[in-house]
Amino acid sequence: MILASALAAAVLFGSGAYLLLKRDLIRMVAGIMLISQSAVVTIMAAGLSRGPAAIAVAPGDAVSDPLPQALALTALVIGLATVALLLALVHRAVVVFRTAEQDELAATEAVHEAGLERQRQADREETEARLEDERRAERERAR
Amino acid sequence: MLLSTALLVPWVAGAVLVALDGRLRVVAWLAVASLAAALALLGVLAADVFGGGARQVVTGGWPAGVGIVLRADALGVVFALLSVLVLLAAAAHEAVGGVRSRTFPGLVVLLGAGLTGLFVTADVFSFYVFFELAMTASYALSAYGGKRRQLRAALVFTAVNLLGSFIFLLSVAGAYRVTGALAMEQVAERVLAVNPNAAILIAAGFFIAFCVKLGLFPFHFWLPTVYAGARPAVAAILSGAVANIGAYGLLRFGVDLFPEQLRLSGVVLVVLGAASIVYGGVLAVSRGDAAEMLAYSAIGQVGYVLVALGVGGPVGLVAAVLYSVINSLNKALLFLASGVRGALVAAAFAVGALSVAGVPPAAGFVGKLELFRTGVVAGSAALVVLLVVGSALSLVYLFQVYQRGFWRPDPAATGTPSPLPQRLPTAVLALLVLAAGLWPEPLLLLSSHAVDALLAP
C-alpha cells in the first residue's frame, strides 16, 4: 500500500512538473493542482503504518493514524483556496492580455512598456525644449 | 493570554477590513491603527519574553502534545516585531498616498496575522497553515495596482511560490512519517534517531522551500520580475516582511530541527550564499531601472544571511539574525523611498544606501561588522574578501540609482516633490536605521537573546 501511494505521488508530481513547464497558463495551473494532490497523497501515505482506516473498527483492532487524514483535509482546503486564487489571476490576465500563452503575454507586455517609455521620452524632450525656449527668451530680454 | 491576543487582533481586524471598501480613507487608517495595536501588543510580549523567557499557550486548553502549541521565544518575537513594523510603514505610506484597491488594507492586516502566527507557532503543520495564510495574502497583494506589469508579477509570484509551498508540505509529510510528531520540540528530539538519508532529504525539502521564499541565487528567477513590477509599497512588504519567512524558517528549521543536517551542508550554504552575493551585486550594477536594481540587490543581500548561517556557531547565528533584521529595514526603506520624490526622501534613500553598503553611521555597518567577525571566526580570507567586494558593489549600484533618481539638477526629470505626509514614513524608517547604527547595543542584545533562545536545549 505504501509502495502504491509512493508511486501515485511520484506520478502526480512528475505530470504536474511537466505541465508546469508548459507555455500555456491553464496547463500551468493544472500542473500546480496535480503537485498539490501529490503532497496530499504523501500526507495520507505518512499515516499508513498501523492498519486500516479508523472507521467502524472493532475494539482492540489496529487502526491507522487518523492525524494525517485531518492534515490532508486542511491541506486540501488550503490547496483549493490557493488554486482558486491562481485561476482568478489567470482569468484576469487572459482578459487583460487577450492570450493565455506566456510568450505572447511577455511580448504584449514588452510592446506596452516600449510604448510607455517612448511617451516618457517625448514628455522629457518636450519639457527640455520648453525650458530651453524660456531660457532663450530670458537671455534676449536681458540683452 | 498576551500571546493569543497579539495573534487575534490582526486576524479579526483583517477579516473585518477585507469586507470593507479599502479605498475609503477611514478604512486605510483603521488598518494602520490595527497594525499599530498589533505592534504594541507584540512589543509588550517581547518585553515579557526578554524578561522572563519563552511564553507558551496550548490551544483549546488541551495538554501539550495533544493541542497545538503556540510558543513565543526571543527569535520569533524579534521577527514578528520587525515584520509588523515593515507592514505598518508600508500601510501608512499607502494610506497617506491614497489606496487604489478595495482589498489592500485588509490584506496587509491579514498578512500581519499570518506572519505573527508563523513566528510564534511551535508546530510544523500549523507553521504550514500560517505560511499559507501569509502567502495567500501576499499573492493577492502582489497584483495590487492592477496594471499589466503587476498582473504578470502576481502570476509569476503565485506560480513559483505555490510550488515552494507544496514542496514544504511534502517535507512536513515526510517529517511526520519519519518522526511521528508534529510539535517542533518532539521532531527535533526524534530526528536524531532516524535514518540519515531520509532526514537529509526532508531537510533539503525545507531548505528549498525557504530559499524560494528568500529568492536566493539558484531559486531567484521569479524575484526581479516581481519586485520590479509590484508597486513600491508592495515591493517593500514582500522584501521587508514576507522574505523574513525564509530567513526565520532557515534559522528555526535549520538550527532547531535539523542541526546535524545543517552542519553537514555548511559548505554548500556558504558557496550558495557567496554565489548569491556576487550574482546579485554584478547584475544590480548592470541595471538602469531603480526598482530592478533594488530587486537584484535583494538577491545579493540575502546571500549574506546564508553565508552567516553556513558558518554557524553562536557568532555566525548572531550575524545571521542581525543581518536579516537590518536587511529587511533597509529594503523596506529603499523600496518605499524609490516611490516618492523630494529632498527629504533623497536623504532617506542615501541613508538606506549607506546602510546597505555598510558605511558607519547607518545600521548596516553593525551588520557588516558582525559578518566580518563571522568571516574571521571561520578563518577564511576568501570570505572576508567576498564581503568587501559585495559591499563595494552595493555602494556602486546604489549611488548609481541615487545619482539618476535624486541628483538631477532640472526639476522635470526628478518630478515634483511628493506631499510631506507621504515622505514621512520613509523619513521615520531612515531615522530608525540611523538610530540603530548610532546605538547598536539594543539590536545586538536582541539578536544574541534570539540566538540564545534558539540554541537552548
Side-chain angles (χ1 to χ4, degrees):
Chain A
M1 194 58 204
I2 288 182
L3 182 66
S5 319
L7 277 176
V11 169
L12 279 172
F13 195 95
S15 345
Y18 175 74
L19 283 175
L20 191 62
L21 297 173
K22 287 279 175 187
R23 302 244 169 259
D24 190 67
L25 286 179
I26 306 291
R27 285 180 195 216
M28 186 195 79
V29 176
I32 287 181
M33 282 174 85
L34 286 185
I35 290 177
S36 83
Q37 296 314 311
S38 152
V40 171
V41 169
T42 316
I43 294 184
M44 295 301 291
L48 290 175
S49 52
R50 288 191 250 147
I55 304 170
V57 282
D61 273 5
V63 290
S64 73
D65 190 353
L67 185 63
Q69 294 163 24
L71 300 188
L73 204 56
T74 316
L76 272 175
V77 173
I78 293 175
L80 174 76
T82 45
V83 168
L85 180 69
L86 187 58
L87 271 176
L89 265 176
V90 167
H91 173 255
R92 183 92 197 101
V94 169
V95 168
V96 170
F97 293 100
R98 290 170 196 282
T99 171
E101 297 280 319
Q102 278 186 330
D103 290 354
E104 290 177 37
L105 212 110
T108 40
E109 195 201 6
V111 169
H112 184 74
E113 285 294 310
L116 278 184
E117 185 49 44
R118 268 201 304 282
Q119 238 169 23
R120 273 199 292 268
Q121 186 65 35
D123 282 354
R124 218 173 291 146
E125 276 163 14
E126 198 183 331
T127 20
E128 269 163 25
R130 208 189 58 233
L131 282 176
E132 187 57 34
D133 282 348
E134 278 170 15
R135 258 179 243 138
R136 198 177 302 136
E138 227 163 79
R139 268 203 301 276
E140 273 171 17
R141 259 204 307 281
R143 211 178 291 155
Chain B
M1 197 60 228
L2 194 58
L3 178 56
S4 356
T5 323
L7 186 54
L8 272 178
V9 164
W11 202 327
V12 173
V16 172
L17 284 170
V18 156
L20 303 175
D21 188 347
R23 284 167 297 190
L24 298 176
R25 215 137 246 269
V26 56
V27 175
W29 284 109
L30 268 178
V32 174
S34 43
L35 281 172
L39 186 68
L41 279 170
L42 281 173
V44 177
L45 179 65
D48 204 20
V49 166
F50 284 120
R55 290 279 173 271
Q56 185 166 321
V57 176
V58 183
T59 48
W62 295 95
V66 177
I68 295 169
V69 180
L70 294 177
R71 189 165 184 278
D73 65 0
L75 182 73
V77 165
V78 166
F79 273 91
L81 266 179
L82 175 71
S83 307
V84 175
L85 180 70
V86 170
L87 291 180
L88 180 64
H93 179 265
E94 279 300 306
V96 172
V99 177
R100 291 157 203 221
S101 102
R102 281 183 60 88
T103 48
F104 179 82
L107 283 174
V108 175
V109 180
L110 272 181
L111 179 58
L115 287 172
T116 313
L118 187 118
F119 295 135
V120 299
T121 183
D123 182 277
V124 182
F125 193 77
S126 60
F127 190 97
Y128 167 74
V129 174
F130 283 118
F131 182 85
E132 283 292 337
L133 176 59
M135 289 320 293
T136 310
S138 50
Y139 300 149
L141 274 180
S142 59
Y144 174 59
K147 298 260 173 51
R148 283 160 177 256
R149 278 184 85 173
Q150 277 114 31
L151 203 56
R152 204 168 117 72
L155 262 179
V156 173
F157 184 64
T158 312
V160 176
N161 279 289
L162 271 180
L163 188 60
S165 298
F166 290 126
I167 291 176
F168 184 80
L169 184 58
L170 278 170
S171 295
V172 170
Y176 184 72
R177 171 77 196 161
V178 297
T179 63
L182 286 173
M184 285 182 185
E185 221 167 319
Q186 284 172 315
V187 173
E189 271 169 31
R190 297 186 193 173
V191 87
L192 299 173
V194 305
N195 181 352
N197 281 336
I200 198 121
L201 187 67
I202 293 162
F206 283 128
F207 177 73
I208 290 171
F210 291 129
C211 285
V212 167
K213 210 90 342 182
L214 263 181
L216 215 62
F217 167 57
F219 312 101
H220 68 277
F221 288 101
W222 60 275
L223 196 143
T225 325
V226 177
Y227 283 13
R231 287 182 53 74
V234 174
I237 288 175
L238 292 183
S239 66
V242 177
N244 277 344
I245 300 177
Y248 174 80
L250 284 177
L251 282 163
R252 175 67 77 198
F253 281 73
V255 181
D256 231 6
L257 266 53
F258 297 97
E260 197 58 26
Q261 287 70 27
L262 183 71
R263 201 180 50 75
L264 276 176
S265 53
V267 179
V268 180
L269 298 194
V270 171
V271 169
L272 278 183
S276 217
I277 292 171
V278 174
Y279 174 89
V282 170
L283 276 179
V285 170
S286 72
R287 298 291 146 160
D289 183 43
E292 213 170 330
M293 185 232 60
L294 284 177
Y296 279 103
S297 149
I299 298 174
Q301 295 297 311
V302 292
Y304 292 109
V305 177
L306 201 69
V307 167
L309 189 68
V311 171
V315 178
L317 292 179
V318 168
V321 173
L322 191 68
Y323 205 81
S324 16
V325 170
I326 291 171
N327 181 34
S328 79
L329 282 179
N330 286 346
K331 280 277 131 42
L333 167 60
L334 287 174
F335 273 113
L336 284 183
S338 73
V340 276
R341 289 276 170 269
L344 194 59
V345 177
F349 191 92
V351 168
L354 289 175
S355 185
V356 169
V359 177
F365 173 65
V366 186
K368 283 274 155 67
L369 203 62
E370 282 298 310
L371 281 172
F372 276 118
R373 273 184 61 193
T374 312
V376 172
V377 166
S380 159
L383 209 56
V384 175
V385 171
L386 177 81
L387 293 174
V388 174
V389 170
S391 305
L393 276 176
S394 48
L395 201 62
V396 171
Y397 61 69
L398 282 164
F399 276 91
Q400 243 178 350
V401 171
Y402 184 74
Q403 190 185 8
R404 278 186 202 149
F406 297 99
W407 226 342
R408 292 254 173 96
D410 60 326
T414 50
T416 47
S418 315
L420 183 67
Q422 205 173 5
R423 287 180 273 159
L424 276 180
T426 40
V428 170
L429 272 179
L431 280 181
L432 201 63
V433 168
L434 266 184
L438 288 174
W439 189 39
E441 282 83 5
L443 205 56
L444 282 167
L445 202 65
L446 226 62
S447 338
S448 65
H449 263 302
V451 171
D452 286 346
L454 197 59
L455 290 176

Short mmCIF file of all heavy atoms in Angstrom, two decimals, chain B residues 6-27:
data_model
loop_
_atom_site.label_atom_id
_atom_site.label_comp_id
_atom_site.label_asym_id
_atom_site.label_seq_id
_atom_site.Cartn_x
_atom_site.Cartn_y
_atom_site.Cartn_z
N ALA B 6 -2.20 38.98 20.83
CA ALA B 6 -1.36 39.56 19.80
C ALA B 6 -1.63 38.91 18.44
O ALA B 6 -1.50 39.54 17.40
CB ALA B 6 0.11 39.39 20.16
N LEU B 7 -2.03 37.64 18.46
CA LEU B 7 -2.32 36.94 17.22
C LEU B 7 -3.74 37.24 16.74
O LEU B 7 -4.00 37.38 15.55
CB LEU B 7 -2.14 35.44 17.45
CG LEU B 7 -2.27 34.53 16.25
CD1 LEU B 7 -1.34 34.97 15.15
CD2 LEU B 7 -1.95 33.11 16.65
N LEU B 8 -4.66 37.37 17.71
CA LEU B 8 -6.07 37.56 17.36
C LEU B 8 -6.38 38.95 16.82
O LEU B 8 -7.22 39.09 15.94
CB LEU B 8 -6.97 37.28 18.58
CG LEU B 8 -7.38 35.83 18.77
CD1 LEU B 8 -8.21 35.69 20.03
CD2 LEU B 8 -8.19 35.35 17.57
N VAL B 9 -5.68 39.97 17.34
CA VAL B 9 -6.00 41.35 16.93
C VAL B 9 -5.88 41.53 15.42
O VAL B 9 -6.85 41.93 14.77
CB VAL B 9 -5.14 42.36 17.71
CG1 VAL B 9 -5.15 43.72 17.05
CG2 VAL B 9 -5.64 42.47 19.13
N PRO B 10 -4.71 41.22 14.80
CA PRO B 10 -4.65 41.41 13.36
C PRO B 10 -5.56 40.46 12.59
O PRO B 10 -6.09 40.82 11.54
CB PRO B 10 -3.18 41.14 13.02
CG PRO B 10 -2.65 40.36 14.14
CD PRO B 10 -3.42 40.76 15.35
N TRP B 11 -5.78 39.27 13.16
CA TRP B 11 -6.61 38.28 12.47
C TRP B 11 -8.04 38.80 12.32
O TRP B 11 -8.60 38.87 11.24
CB TRP B 11 -6.58 36.97 13.27
CG TRP B 11 -6.94 35.77 12.48
CD1 TRP B 11 -7.82 35.72 11.44
CD2 TRP B 11 -6.42 34.46 12.63
NE1 TRP B 11 -7.87 34.46 10.94
CE2 TRP B 11 -7.03 33.67 11.65
CE3 TRP B 11 -5.50 33.88 13.50
CZ2 TRP B 11 -6.75 32.31 11.51
CZ3 TRP B 11 -5.22 32.53 13.38
CH2 TRP B 11 -5.84 31.75 12.40
N VAL B 12 -8.63 39.20 13.48
CA VAL B 12 -10.02 39.66 13.46
C VAL B 12 -10.12 40.96 12.67
O VAL B 12 -11.00 41.12 11.80
CB VAL B 12 -10.51 39.86 14.92
CG1 VAL B 12 -11.88 40.50 14.93
CG2 VAL B 12 -10.54 38.52 15.64
N ALA B 13 -9.17 41.89 12.93
CA ALA B 13 -9.22 43.18 12.22
C ALA B 13 -9.11 42.95 10.72
O ALA B 13 -9.83 43.57 9.93
CB ALA B 13 -8.09 44.07 12.71
N GLY B 14 -8.23 42.05 10.31
CA GLY B 14 -8.04 41.78 8.89
C GLY B 14 -9.30 41.21 8.27
O GLY B 14 -9.72 41.63 7.19
N ALA B 15 -9.92 40.26 8.97
CA ALA B 15 -11.14 39.63 8.44
C ALA B 15 -12.24 40.66 8.26
O ALA B 15 -13.00 40.62 7.29
CB ALA B 15 -11.59 38.52 9.37
N VAL B 16 -12.32 41.62 9.21
CA VAL B 16 -13.36 42.65 9.09
C VAL B 16 -13.01 43.62 7.97
O VAL B 16 -13.85 43.97 7.14
CB VAL B 16 -13.52 43.40 10.44
CG1 VAL B 16 -14.44 44.60 10.27
CG2 VAL B 16 -14.04 42.46 11.50
N LEU B 17 -11.72 44.03 7.92
CA LEU B 17 -11.32 45.07 6.97
C LEU B 17 -11.42 44.60 5.52
O LEU B 17 -11.69 45.40 4.63
CB LEU B 17 -9.89 45.52 7.26
CG LEU B 17 -9.73 46.42 8.47
CD1 LEU B 17 -8.27 46.59 8.82
CD2 LEU B 17 -10.37 47.76 8.20
N VAL B 18 -11.20 43.29 5.30
CA VAL B 18 -11.29 42.78 3.93
C VAL B 18 -12.68 42.99 3.36
O VAL B 18 -12.87 43.22 2.17
CB VAL B 18 -10.89 41.29 3.90
CG1 VAL B 18 -11.48 40.58 2.73
CG2 VAL B 18 -9.38 41.17 3.83
N ALA B 19 -13.69 42.97 4.25
CA ALA B 19 -15.07 43.12 3.79
C ALA B 19 -15.41 44.57 3.49
O ALA B 19 -16.39 44.85 2.81
CB ALA B 19 -16.03 42.57 4.83
N LEU B 20 -14.59 45.50 3.99
CA LEU B 20 -14.91 46.93 3.78
C LEU B 20 -14.21 47.45 2.54
O LEU B 20 -13.27 46.84 2.03
CB LEU B 20 -14.47 47.74 5.01
CG LEU B 20 -15.06 47.30 6.33
CD1 LEU B 20 -14.45 48.11 7.46
CD2 LEU B 20 -16.56 47.46 6.32
N ASP B 21 -14.66 48.61 2.05
CA ASP B 21 -14.05 49.20 0.87
C ASP B 21 -12.77 49.94 1.28
O ASP B 21 -12.81 50.98 1.92
CB ASP B 21 -15.03 50.17 0.22
CG ASP B 21 -14.50 50.65 -1.12
OD1 ASP B 21 -13.31 50.42 -1.39
OD2 ASP B 21 -15.27 51.25 -1.88
N GLY B 22 -11.62 49.38 0.88
CA GLY B 22 -10.34 49.92 1.31
C GLY B 22 -10.00 51.27 0.72
O GLY B 22 -9.06 51.92 1.16
N ARG B 23 -10.74 51.68 -0.32
CA ARG B 23 -10.40 52.97 -0.93
C ARG B 23 -10.85 54.14 -0.06
O ARG B 23 -10.41 55.26 -0.26
CB ARG B 23 -11.03 53.08 -2.31
CG ARG B 23 -10.28 52.26 -3.34
CD ARG B 23 -11.09 52.11 -4.60
NE ARG B 23 -12.31 51.38 -4.34
CZ ARG B 23 -13.13 50.94 -5.28
NH1 ARG B 23 -12.84 51.16 -6.54
NH2 ARG B 23 -14.22 50.28 -4.98
N LEU B 24 -11.72 53.82 0.91
CA LEU B 24 -12.12 54.88 1.85
C LEU B 24 -10.94 55.18 2.77
O LEU B 24 -10.25 54.27 3.22
CB LEU B 24 -13.32 54.41 2.70
CG LEU B 24 -14.59 54.10 1.92
CD1 LEU B 24 -15.65 53.58 2.86
CD2 LEU B 24 -15.08 55.34 1.20
N ARG B 25 -10.75 56.46 3.02
CA ARG B 25 -9.63 56.90 3.83
C ARG B 25 -9.67 56.27 5.22
O ARG B 25 -8.66 55.80 5.74
CB ARG B 25 -9.70 58.42 3.96
CG ARG B 25 -8.38 59.10 4.00
CD ARG B 25 -8.44 60.33 3.14
NE ARG B 25 -7.55 60.16 1.99
CZ ARG B 25 -6.30 60.53 2.00
NH1 ARG B 25 -5.76 61.06 3.07
NH2 ARG B 25 -5.54 60.35 0.94
N VAL B 26 -10.89 56.22 5.80
CA VAL B 26 -11.02 55.77 7.18
C VAL B 26 -10.64 54.29 7.30
O VAL B 26 -10.02 53.87 8.28
CB VAL B 26 -12.45 56.05 7.72
CG1 VAL B 26 -13.50 55.42 6.85
CG2 VAL B 26 -12.61 55.57 9.13
N VAL B 27 -10.96 53.50 6.26
CA VAL B 27 -10.62 52.07 6.32
C VAL B 27 -9.11 51.88 6.28
O VAL B 27 -8.54 51.09 7.04
CB VAL B 27 -11.31 51.32 5.16
CG1 VAL B 27 -10.87 49.87 5.14
CG2 VAL B 27 -12.81 51.42 5.28
#
